[in-house]
Amino acid sequence: MKKYGITICCLLVLLILFSAALLLTKNKLSEEAGSLNNNAGVQDVINNLDQYTDYFKENQLYAEIVTYDEKECLKIKFTSDVEALYGPDLIKINNKIMYQYYDKEYLVNIEIYDIDLANKTTRVSTEYDGGYGTTVCYYLPDFYDMKPDWGDYLQADLDIKEIISKEELQKLYCTAEQMKEMINNEYMRQNQTKSVEKSPQS
């Protein structure tokens, strides 16, 4: 089996950068963060994407508004192979990787979806031309424990592990979740700037 880890390395770098940025802004914005709706920032981006163009460009991310399930959602591309969809909750994550099975190489689409934060579960599925896909329901956030749902989930878990590790799934999920917090921080920063500009000068 042959896997390409460049995308995951890029995600790890993004995750480290996001964590550093969050630490730098945590003290400054702590009071506002306590009362802010967790989805307020993402919803504001959906409503006013043009106001965040520079922010996404500075962070080397591509963002666009798409229609999903008959509503406007935010799609963010972290790398050419990884993207996440928000509406405003995190809806799903897609990751495309090359996977070699015997003498053939396949482009596999890995999808993390049906994200249920209340029950801390999500589904992970694989799809690729010339092969069969599989789906497993995991507990968040570590992807180690499986929630039995249907079929031979033990074999399905082994099939998914052949293509992507649990650690790599964690990085994908954590990166997408931290993006929401980063957007919230930018949303608060922009609101603070607007408040200062509107305040009367003494």
Side-chain angles (χ1 to χ4, degrees):
M1 181 188 70
K2 182 180 179 182
K3 293 192 298 183
Y4 294 80
I6 296 177
T7 296
I8 297 301
C9 289
C10 292
L11 278 176
L12 183 57
V13 172
L14 278 173
L15 191 57
I16 293 171
L17 291 174
F18 285 177
S19 298
L22 287 171
L23 286 173
L24 288 173
T25 56
K26 184 176 180 181
N27 291 334
K28 183 178 179 181
L29 302 173
S30 58
E31 292 183 2
E32 293 88 343
S35 60
L36 179 68
N37 183 312
N38 191 43
N39 293 324
V42 175
Q43 186 60 58
D44 193 57
V45 174
I46 293 173
N47 297 336
N48 307 286
L49 179 60
D50 58 322
Q51 296 180 15
Y52 294 84
T53 301
D54 291 339
Y55 172 76
F56 287 117
K57 188 179 295 184
E58 288 170 3
N59 286 279
Q60 299 181 335
L61 300 168
Y62 175 76
E64 65 176 329
I65 304 302
V66 299
T67 300
Y68 178 82
D69 200 18
E70 299 183 349
K71 69 176 182 178
E72 287 191 331
C73 298
L74 173 66
K75 182 168 74 173
I76 297 179
K77 278 185 172 289
F78 296 95
T79 69
S80 60
D81 301 320
V82 179
E83 63 184 36
L85 187 68
Y86 304 85
D89 285 315
L90 177 59
I91 299 173
K92 62 179 180 177
I93 306 165
N94 286 92
N95 180 28
K96 289 181 171 60
I97 64 173
M98 298 303 298
Y99 170 69
Q100 186 166 328
Y101 185 70
Y102 290 103
D103 60 340
K104 291 186 178 181
E105 196 171 68
Y106 300 93
L107 179 63
V108 183
N109 180 56
I110 299 166
E111 185 171 88
I112 302 171
Y113 66 106
D114 276 0
I115 300 168
D116 186 341
L117 295 180
N119 294 311
K120 296 184 178 179
T121 60
T122 187
R123 296 189 191 280
V124 177
S125 69
T126 60
E127 291 182 347
Y128 56 102
D129 293 335
Y132 65 92
T134 188
T135 303
V136 176
C137 186
Y138 292 107
Y139 285 106
L140 294 171
D142 56 23
F143 292 87
Y144 281 105
D145 295 323
M146 294 175 292
K147 179 185 178 184
D149 46 8
W150 72 85
D152 188 359
Y153 63 92
L154 289 174
Q155 182 59 48
D157 178 56
L158 293 174
D159 292 341
I160 288 177
K161 284 179 181 176
E162 284 291 310
I163 298 172
I164 186 168
S165 71
K166 301 298 177 65
E167 289 76 17
E168 290 167 333
L169 288 171
Q170 289 174 28
K171 290 172 187 174
L172 286 167
Y173 177 72
C174 289
T175 299
E177 277 295 323
Q178 283 204 353
M179 187 72 246
K180 285 179 61 177
E181 193 169 350
M182 291 286 291
I183 290 173
N184 263 352
N185 287 345
E186 175 61 15
Y187 169 68
M188 288 186 287
R189 187 195 68 77
Q190 290 193 16
N191 280 351
Q192 285 178 340
T193 301
K194 291 176 184 177
S195 298
V196 171
E197 291 174 350
K198 290 181 180 179
S199 61
Q201 296 182 357
S202 54

